[in-house]
Amino acid sequence: MPISQRTQVGIVGAGPAGLVLSHLLHLQGIDSVVIENRSREYSEQRVRAGVLEQGTVDLLTEMGGGERMKKEGLVHYGIELRFGGKGHRIDFQELTGGKGITIYAQHEVLKDLNNARSAAGGQTIFEAENVSVHNLNTSHPKIRYEKDGGAHEVICDFIAGCDGFHGICRPSIPPGVIVEYEREYPFGWLGILAQAPPSSEELIYTYHDRGFALLSMRSPQISRLYLQCAPDENIDDWSDERIWQELQIRLSSPGWALTEGAILQKGVTGMRSFVAEPMQYGRLFLAGDSAHIVPPTGAKGLNLAVADVRVLARALAHFYSTGSQSLLDEYSAKCLRRVWKVQRFSWWMTSMLHRFPDENPFDQRRQLAELDYVTSSRAAAKSLAENYVGLPLE
Ligand code: APR
Ligand code: PHB
């Protein structure tokens, strides 16, 4: 017999979605247990994106535990789009009425959230094995897992599937319930973390004949840079020297220099757009990457995950205070409206800035016209800025 435990909301996955949800529920007096298959150390060190929309920053701040983000996060009020070797600034502050974004790494967000959960006596079970979900269509769905050789089960009122794209929650929904919309891109990003002061105060998104490049950062001492590459690019083919050489070529601009430094970490990620509809089956609610993936151009993944769980936490709080399922019933449709707008934006930024293997000269001219338009028309720049800083949360 498994060791059995009872909670109100069982959460699978201790990424940004799972941890933010758990803490928001706690603040409303709702009990939850988070089940995660990796170790805490692994998730707190894994390098991922690092751009937080104003709405995400505000929510993390309101939840408490945002002090380090306030202190160490870098607030930016614009980005540069670079093409034809020339830079063009998109001024977020002016175009959005004062909004900006904050650069603060996802794994730092996770450290803060884990600390906030621990301080509040929250229960996160790390290194859980063979996690599975059951009885999704009943009033008491169940999570099973193994830990240190023992079998465990958590009996819940609801389950939140916050276990990312490769998790087990979405595949546990019976076939035929969910429609999946997907687009894979014929390229990936080679990303590095470098011990080098960022060569620009703001992010630089570059369109170049040889492919896209991005200059980002993590701190005044650490740069984060990306290069468009093949989706199955072998990282072993890229010596540090070759990486810097390629970055120098793609980012080059008269009167500007890219500072190099020791490469601390490097890796290749593929790019896809993916949406699962609806984001609910019975008492299982999908949130974050388990329900949708965006390509990284524009760095929307974490922000979208946070927007989902904000809606879910409210709907659950409404259920526990009134007994009404009405907001839970609206969860999927409400989230998907935002999800599709963010999908559109991430696809658009990606399409505008990358070279496509099957493109013809018309496509290339069109991309350059798009960049010219977005950097010369106030209406077009305003649309980019509005999406980049984050569409309003409902
Ligand atoms: N059982 C338990 N936990 C699991 C399982 C499983 N079978 N499979 C995956 N997980 C865990 C992962 O180890 C990870 O900690 O679920 C968590 C999912 O976290 P993320 O992948 O970070 O997804 P999410 O919380 O939705 O956040 C979205 O993360 O993927 C990035 O760029 C994306 O920034 C975006 C954000
Ligand atoms: C990052 O800093 O990791 C980053 C920044 C902007 C993006 C994607 C990733 O669009």
Side-chain angles (χ1 to χ4, degrees):
M1 280 292 279
I3 300 172
S4 193
Q5 176 184 4
R6 180 81 177 84
T7 191
Q8 290 174 296
V9 182
I11 300 173
V12 185
L19 292 176
V20 170
L21 177 63
S22 175
H23 206 57
L24 285 175
L25 293 175
H26 159 75
L27 296 173
Q28 307 259 14
I30 300 165
D31 184 54
S32 68
V33 175
V34 183
I35 315 286
E36 163 64 49
N37 65 353
R38 299 286 193 160
S39 68
R40 179 167 173 173
E41 295 69 36
Y42 175 87
S43 70
E44 290 187 352
Q45 273 162 31
R46 188 168 171 206
V47 180
R48 313 232 8 215
V51 177
L52 307 182
E53 294 174 357
Q54 189 62 53
T56 304
V57 170
D58 292 346
L59 184 77
L60 294 172
T61 307
E62 279 162 30
M63 281 169 46
E67 298 81 22
R68 211 161 57 90
M69 173 182 66
K70 271 261 154 347
K71 227 174 36 217
E72 296 174 20
L74 308 169
V75 180
H76 288 186
Y77 290 104
I79 54 165
E80 181 180 324
L81 293 180
R82 193 173 277 190
F83 56 100
K86 253 187 86 188
H88 306 259
R89 182 164 189 261
I90 306 288
D91 184 339
F92 296 157
Q93 192 163 34
E94 193 264 326
L95 292 162
T96 66
K99 293 196 187 129
I101 48 123
T102 298
I103 306 290
Y104 189 61
Q106 177 165 320
H107 68 268
E108 302 295 345
V109 173
L110 290 181
K111 282 185 203 165
D112 297 344
L113 288 167
N114 279 326
N115 287 336
R117 289 312 299 131
S118 300
Q123 196 186 355
T124 304
I125 293 147
F126 288 98
E127 297 176 81
E129 293 175 74
N130 295 320
V131 181
S132 58
V133 293
H134 307 268
N135 306 350
L136 302 176
N137 238 337
T138 70
S139 56
H140 289 297
K142 191 155 69 171
I143 304 175
R144 287 207 184 121
Y145 66 95
E146 285 159 26
K147 169 104 185 162
D148 302 326
H152 298 257
E153 67 177 15
V154 187
I155 318 271
C156 318
D157 297 336
F158 299 96
I159 296 177
C162 301
D163 50 346
F165 184 67
H166 298 288
I168 51 94
C169 287
R170 193 182 66 253
S172 303
I173 297 175
V177 172
I178 284 196
V179 181
E180 297 184 349
Y181 299 87
E182 183 159 26
R183 169 170 209 143
E184 277 196 48
Y185 297 87
F187 41 74
W189 278 12
L190 188 164
I192 64 162
L193 205 59
Q195 184 74 50
S199 309
S200 158
E201 255 176 58
E202 295 178 342
L203 272 60
I204 305 175
Y205 288 82
T206 307
Y207 176 88
H208 190 276
D209 278 352
R210 296 169 66 101
F212 170 77
L214 169 63
L215 177 122
S216 179
M217 63 220 57
R218 287 294 177 267
S219 73
Q221 294 81 36
I222 305 281
S223 297
R224 175 90 174 136
L225 296 124
Y226 298 95
L227 284 171
Q228 175 182 352
C229 61
D232 55 353
E233 193 80 45
N234 183 356
I235 192 71
D236 297 334
D237 293 341
W238 287 80
S239 65
D240 293 3
E241 195 193 350
R242 180 173 173 211
I243 293 173
W244 282 118
Q245 232 170 31
E246 193 62 29
L247 285 166
Q248 291 287 3
I249 296 173
R250 295 194 197 177
L251 286 162
S252 80
S253 179
W256 183 85
L258 174 65
T259 309
E260 299 185 9
I263 294 184
L264 307 172
Q265 192 266 351
K266 57 182 163 183
V268 171
T269 38
M271 321 230 317
R272 73 170 84 226
S273 301
F274 171 86
V275 181
E277 287 193 7
M279 292 167 56
Q280 178 205 354
Y281 170 71
R283 288 204 164 198
L284 170 67
F285 292 84
L286 302 177
D289 276 17
S290 76
H292 41 70
I293 294 280
V294 286
T297 333
K300 291 293 171 202
L302 184 155
N303 297 291
L304 207 47
V306 168
D308 285 350
V309 296
R310 183 171 177 271
V311 176
L312 187 53
R314 284 191 179 180
L316 288 165
H318 185 70
F319 171 83
Y320 284 111
S321 63
T322 67
S324 158
Q325 297 228 23
S326 61
L327 293 190
L328 287 168
D329 293 341
E330 290 169 16
Y331 168 74
S332 176
K334 201 174 270 183
C335 288
L336 284 167
R337 276 191 73 195
R338 183 184 187 83
V339 166
W340 276 112
K341 277 179 268 190
V342 174
Q343 287 288 353
R344 183 208 67 82
F345 175 69
S346 304
W347 162 84
W348 173 75
M349 284 278 282
T350 303
S351 314
M352 177 171 68
L353 288 160
H354 291 75
R355 295 297 308 270
F356 285 73
D358 58 352
E359 73 189 14
N360 64 32
F362 178 90
D363 294 322
Q364 216 189 333
R365 286 279 192 258
R366 184 186 46 75
Q367 280 176 313
L368 286 166
E370 182 107 46
L371 283 160
D372 185 10
Y373 179 52
V374 114
T375 51
S376 60
S377 152
R378 186 176 158 79
K382 205 168 166 163
S383 167
L384 190 163
E386 178 186 35
N387 281 278
Y388 201 101
V389 302
L391 293 172
L393 292 159
E394 45 90 37

